[in-house]
Structures are given as structure tokens and as C-alpha cells.
Amino acid sequence: MTTTETTSQAAAAVVAVADRVLDGPHGDLRVRVYTPGTTPVAGLVWAHGGGFMHGDLDMHEGDGVARRLAAAGVLVVSVEYRLVTPFEDAAVGGAPVRGDGVRFPVPSEEVGFAFDWARGADLGVAPDRWSIGGASAGGNLAAGASLRLRDAGTPVRSTLLAYPVAHHALPAHSPELAAKVAAIPGGSFPPPLVLAMNDNYLGHREGPTSPYAFPGGQDLRGLAPTFVLTSDHDGLRSSGEAYASELAAAGVDVLLVREDGTTHGHLNQPEHPGCARSIARMAAWLTTDALLGTTHEPSP
């Protein structure tokens, strides 16, 4: 290895991290900006997971993922969106649903706002090089924001969804997935729990009245190329897989990858080899134009 190559790799590993407070649509909105040590090749606005109720910028799914993507040349804007008020009993689908506190569309609008801000903030990434993404509930927010941005005519380079909550009601498991979920002690995201979590996000049990709340089953035509990454042993995998199928049926270029041997939230498990594999896949998607495809015109 030459001295020039060594210096270049060392520079790429240096990541500058800075918090900023934006004048968001619902008050102060904190974002954390991860700037690579070399000229960034792409930008990503990223939303962590946590069932809409939990999580923060410091969890590995937020901070660890952003740092490693930035070391690969991606400028990352991680969003501290407002968390919804937790429900009181997460054990059953009959958990109380309250309409007060933070509910949809607040977090979704904040993630979309952060994307608009990043594109125009002169962070060193061209406006047409920005992608939007998130994990689990953050994947829902990113997917919903991608619909909102499409309808507003805002260009998005790509969407990156890790084990997303794409549907209000969990799609049925395949026999292969059902067997894996049954083998997990305590199961994994039983449908009543998913429905309770999602109703809590909405603040009612009448189901979504906006396509931006749960993009699964909505009109997905004209969306940017999308990478859907799923966990292998994960009840929510059926939602990610169904959403990828819906995207393909709508004429959207889509890449679906199941990370072998992982459970839900594996981006929060830095010691697991599947975490490193997934982040490497994400970096390749964001930095390699040949993988992307293009945003096609909506079918009539």
C-alpha cells in the first residue's frame, strides 16, 4: 500500500460530528450532522427506530450507523424527531390509545422537513445526491416522508429502509418466516402488539386516514429507487417484504436484501457480524450509482 493510499484511508475515517437545532414545523428540531473527512459523495437524512415511542441519536442504530456511513463518504443528517407518548400496556392489542401528546403526523413531518433543510443547507452535497432513510419505526417515517416529498415535487436520490414498519396491520407471514418467529422465545412482534403500537402512533383505532402514515398499500408510483433491508428472524420482515413487492408492482426500482442470521434491530447490535454486513450494503447503495436504477415516471 502506498503512502498516498494510507493517508486517504485515514482521512476518510475522520468524521466531524456537530449538533444543530432547526426551526422545525413543530418547534425546535435537533439534528446531528456527520461530515466525512473527505469530500462527501452522497448525503443521507436518517431516522432511528424505537416503536415511534423510544430511541435517540446516541443509540447505535443512530450514532454508530451514521459514523460508519460517514467514514465511507456519506454525509449523514440524523434526526431527533419527536417521540409519541408511549401506551400503557404493550402486552396486548387492547392497550389504551390516547389522542393527546405527540402523534402522527408530527414525527413524519419533522423527518421530511429535515430532508428539505439538508438539501438546501450547503453541507457539501449537491441537492440531487440526497437520500432519505430510517430503521424500523424510523423506516416508516422515512417511507412516509418519501411519499410526501414525491407529492411536493422534491427530488429524492433514493430511499433506504431497514426492517421498516410499512403497514398499519402486519401482513401475513410466509411459512418459512412463521417457523422462525415461532422459534424465538416470546415470539417477535405479534400482530396485536404491532397494531397497538401503530394505533398509538395514530392516536386512535380508526386506521390511517393519510397515505403518509403507513405507506404500505398506498399509491407508490414515481418513488425514488428504494433499498429494503430486512432482518432474518423478525416478525416485521413480512412488512418489509410486502412493501418491496408493492414498490416493484408500482414500477419502482427496488432492492430487497434479507440479512441472514439476524433478529429485528440488528443495526443496534454492533458485535453481530450481520450489523457490519448491513452497514457495508447500505454504504454501497448510497455511494455506488450503478446499484441505484432511476426514478421512473408514474405509470398512467
Side-chain angles (χ1 to χ4, degrees), residues 6 9 17 25 42 48 51 53 63 70 83 93 118 135 155 166 182 188 209 224 232 255 264 293 296:
T6 303
Q9 290 184 3
V17 182
H48 65 78
M53 303 171 285
D63 183 71
L83 302 177
S188 173
T209 58
D232 188 12
L255 171 65
H264 184 81
H296 302 287

Side-chain angles (χ1 to χ4, degrees), residues 6-208:
T6 303
T7 302
S8 175
Q9 290 184 3
V14 176
V15 175
V17 182
D19 284 1
R20 309 225 3 210
V21 178
L22 312 181
D23 184 12
H26 301 281
D28 288 350
L29 175 62
R30 186 162 72 112
V31 298
R32 185 168 293 169
V33 181
Y34 297 78
T35 304
T38 57
T39 301
V41 297
L44 172 69
V45 172
W46 179 251
H48 65 78
F52 305 107
M53 303 171 285
H54 309 290
D56 54 45
L57 298 183
D58 296 323
M59 62 195 291
H60 191 271
E61 194 175 75
D63 183 71
V65 169
R67 287 180 185 274
R68 294 174 71 173
L69 290 177
V74 181
L75 193 150
V76 181
V77 175
S78 188
V79 187
E80 190 177 61
Y81 57 86
R82 280 167 170 76
L83 302 177
V84 305
T85 305
F87 50 70
E88 298 172 6
D89 182 5
V92 296
V97 174
R98 296 166 47 185
D100 60 344
V102 175
R103 306 293 174 196
F104 173 82
V106 172
S108 175
E109 290 178 345
E110 290 184 323
V111 171
F113 176 88
F115 184 84
D116 280 329
W117 172 82
R119 289 184 72 248
D122 194 20
L123 297 175
V125 178
D128 62 353
R129 299 289 297 175
W130 281 96
S131 297
I132 191 168
S136 195
N140 167 284
L141 301 179
S146 73
L147 293 183
R148 197 187 306 275
L149 292 164
R150 176 203 62 186
D151 293 347
T154 304
V156 177
R157 181 171 183 260
S158 76
T159 303
L160 171 58
L161 307 176
Y163 36 85
V165 182
H167 299 80
H168 177 241
L170 191 64
H173 296 338
S174 67
E176 168 267 331
L177 177 57
K180 288 181 175 177
V181 169
I184 299 173
S188 173
F189 290 98
L193 175 59
V194 174
L195 195 60
M197 177 182 74
N198 293 343
D199 284 345
N200 184 64
Y201 170 51
L202 294 175
H204 56 76
R205 289 198 178 92
E206 283 69 56

Side-chain angles (χ1 to χ4, degrees), residues 202-222:
L202 294 175
H204 56 76
R205 289 198 178 92
E206 283 69 56
T209 58
S210 165
Y212 308 136
F214 292 93
Q218 306 299 332
D219 180 1
L220 306 180
R221 294 174 296 174

